[in-house]
Amino acid sequence: MDFFKSGPSWLPVAVGGGAVVLLAGALLFRKGSKKPFVLSDDYKEKDVVYLFHFGRVPSGPDPSSFCVKMETFLRMNGIKYKAITTQQMGPKDKMPYIAYNGQVISDSDFIVDFLIKELQLKCDSDLDESQRAVGHVTCQMLEENTYWALVHFRWVQELDRLPYVLTRSPNFFLRLLLRYLVAPSVAKSCYLQGMGRHSVAEINQIAERDLRSLSTILGNKSYLLGDAPTSHDAAVFGITSVLVYGAEGSAMNTLITTELPNVLDHCRRMRERWFADWDDLCAQAM
């Protein structure tokens, strides 16, 4: 019986209610006792990038487009790294974050900037100012707008399906945790950002404009800005890969897979080139 879709009997209500109380108490305790971020000595090997992320899921390397973006960037540039699955958020209370030679950097854009400078990477060196501007505004559109349409789809429209996106064996405890402790906070963030104030039809309209714009900018090029990949392609792949492989049933997934062949081809091209082990990573999901 599906507890969240059927009339609950007194037993699951009692058990579930008790679990929620315990979870809420644990969450409040965690908030009240939160300590300053301290990097463990386990992650200080010299010249190794430690990428802290949520973890592998059945549909891809990570449920977060930003985490996929960062792992893609590391692979594109041949950077030695170790992916660390963790529940500890970074200094800015965000994911992903990295540690490199004792330095901790949060936010994917700042991480990319840091690594390009620190490791003297040449991935964007051939871009002119116009190309840099196009890359910037395209990625900002996807990460600050389209991303929130994905958030709304997962955490508001299709919340009951989310446990199956995150793990191979969703349990009752996980469903309680997501529904009663995590989802309300995410939905509130989505509302405050603005996307959550719209109807589903309006959200789909907004996302469609974004994705069709991406398709127009991409055109018949192999990569976003030409025949060679840049850091901007990692960001594009971060969001499109999650939509293609981890958001089945969404209007965005349908649009990409049926009407935007160049966006789908770009996504597949990126996966084939830098994630030959994609299926192996998915197999590591809980």
Side-chain angles (χ1 to χ4, degrees):
M1 176 180 291
D2 190 326
F3 174 74
F4 294 114
K5 292 183 179 179
S6 306
S9 68
W10 69 269
L11 182 57
V13 171
V15 174
V20 170
V21 170
L22 290 174
L23 286 169
L27 184 64
L28 290 174
F29 175 80
R30 179 184 174 189
K31 287 183 176 181
S33 60
K34 189 172 182 179
K35 299 178 181 179
F37 179 89
V38 178
L39 180 66
S40 169
D41 289 335
D42 294 336
Y43 307 121
K44 294 183 179 180
E45 181 180 346
K46 185 174 175 58
D47 297 333
V48 174
V49 173
Y50 291 94
L51 172 64
F52 297 89
H53 70 128
F54 292 109
R56 309 308 185 191
V57 291
S59 61
D62 197 278
S64 164
S65 59
F66 296 100
C67 292
V68 176
K69 165 188 174 180
M70 277 316 312
E71 189 160 9
T72 304
F73 178 83
L74 293 170
R75 291 182 174 216
M76 288 173 66
N77 290 281
I79 299 171
K80 183 179 179 181
Y81 77 96
K82 294 181 180 179
I84 308 298
T85 298
T86 182
Q87 296 180 356
Q88 180 185 23
M89 304 298 277
K92 296 182 179 180
D93 206 27
K94 297 181 68 175
M95 198 83 82
Y97 58 99
I98 68 162
Y100 180 74
N101 290 342
Q103 300 182 73
V104 179
I105 313 297
S106 295
D107 189 281
S108 61
D109 281 343
F110 288 119
I111 295 172
V112 168
D113 291 344
F114 169 81
L115 291 175
I116 288 177
K117 181 178 180 180
E118 188 76 9
L119 303 179
Q120 299 182 341
L121 303 177
K122 305 299 182 182
C123 55
D124 295 347
S125 59
D126 292 335
L127 299 179
D128 59 32
E129 289 303 311
S130 177
Q131 289 174 312
R132 291 178 187 275
V134 171
H136 173 73
V137 298
T138 301
C139 293
Q140 288 297 301
M141 172 188 70
L142 295 174
E143 294 184 338
E144 301 296 337
N145 202 54
T146 319
Y147 165 77
W148 287 101
L150 172 61
V151 170
H152 193 274
F153 172 76
R154 277 184 169 175
W155 290 94
V156 179
Q157 300 172 42
E158 295 290 335
L159 179 58
D160 284 333
R161 292 176 53 185
L162 185 56
Y164 298 92
V165 173
L166 301 179
T167 178
R168 296 183 184 280
S169 302
N171 55 42
F172 185 67
F173 183 82
L174 175 61
R175 297 174 73 185
L176 284 172
L177 174 66
L178 294 176
R179 176 170 287 278
Y180 294 108
L181 291 185
V182 183
S185 177
V186 176
K188 181 178 180 181
S189 296
C190 195
Y191 182 84
L192 292 174
Q193 185 272 344
M195 191 66 73
R197 299 169 189 263
H198 304 303
S199 68
V200 172
E202 290 170 334
I203 291 172
N204 290 340
Q205 181 180 346
I206 291 169
E208 180 176 351
R209 287 174 179 170
D210 290 350
L211 293 172
R212 288 193 183 279
S213 296
L214 170 63
S215 178
T216 299
I217 294 169
L218 183 59
N220 59 5
K221 301 186 294 294
S222 295
Y223 298 100
L224 183 67
L225 299 173
D227 295 328
T230 68
S231 65
H232 304 293
D233 289 282
V236 172
F237 180 67
I239 187 72
T240 60
S241 64
V242 173
L243 290 174
V244 170
Y245 302 112
E248 291 86 350
S250 70
M252 295 171 286
N253 175 281
T254 300
L255 178 65
I256 293 174
T257 56
T258 63
E259 297 187 40
L260 305 179
N262 61 341
V263 175
L264 182 60
D265 287 345
H266 178 274
C267 182
R268 289 172 172 169
R269 185 178 301 114
M270 294 288 292
R271 171 176 165 170
E272 290 172 1
R273 182 167 179 178
W274 284 288
F275 282 94
D277 60 342
W278 184 280
D279 291 337
D280 294 332
L281 296 178
C282 294
Q284 297 175 21
M286 294 186 297

